[in-house]
Amino acid sequence: QVQVMESGGGLVQAGGSLRLSCTVSGLPFDDRAMGWFRQAPGKQREGVSCITWKGYETYYADSVKGRFTISRDHAKNTLYLQMNSLQYEDTAMYYCATRSYGDCSGSWGKGADFGYWGQGTQVTVSS
């Protein structure tokens, strides 16, 4: 059974930091790209970041470039998202997802070819 589970969300003041984690079990972790997505109330889901299977390439939405860092630990089957300088606009439910292949080509930001998703972890930034 495939399980994708996010953790690390919470309430933080603007300017603060959080680190999200995502553990994956039930399928190979180290041969596929991984992504972070978010959805705020009343808004469409958006791609936040994507990392290739070896972790050599990372991609970010313009809104988070320079503030967020995606990384992965194959020994722990875990994906991370370090979020610094958080802004009120970052408030959303954050989701982790696994891609069916190893790169972040194409429409990763639209969730294309991401087959397994977690339940999400809430990030709330107070202004």
Side-chain angles (χ1 to χ4, degrees), residues 4 6 37 45 95-98 111 114-119:
V4 180
E6 305 92 340
F37 299 82
R45 184 186 66 196
Y95 300 91
C96 163
T98 70
F114 284 86
Y116 294 100
W117 295 74
Q119 294 297 309

Side-chain angles (χ1 to χ4, degrees), residues 29-126:
F29 176 79
D30 55 3
D31 65 353
R32 59 194 67 217
M34 297 288 299
W36 285 102
F37 299 82
R38 67 186 182 186
Q39 187 167 21
K43 294 187 177 181
Q44 286 189 330
R45 184 186 66 196
E46 65 170 335
V48 174
S49 184
C50 183
I51 186 168
T52 55
W53 66 291
K54 282 190 174 182
Y56 291 165
E57 297 175 30
T58 56
Y59 301 81
Y60 298 93
D62 288 342
S63 59
V64 306
K65 279 180 183 176
R67 301 188 297 121
F68 291 10
T69 302
I70 191 172
S71 61
R72 62 193 300 164
D73 184 336
H74 288 177
K76 296 181 178 180
N77 278 17
T78 301
L79 177 73
Y80 301 101
L81 185 68
Q82 178 66 43
M83 305 186 296
N84 298 329
S85 301
L86 282 161
Q87 303 169 355
Y88 176 77
E89 294 74 20
D90 296 317
T91 296
M93 185 71 79
Y94 283 71
Y95 300 91
C96 163
T98 70
R99 211 171 202 195
S100 56
Y101 44 87
D103 62 61
C104 297
S105 61
S107 302
W108 72 264
K110 296 182 179 180
D113 301 318
F114 284 86
Y116 294 100
W117 295 74
Q119 294 297 309
T121 185
Q122 177 68 39
V123 172
T124 302
V125 184
S126 62

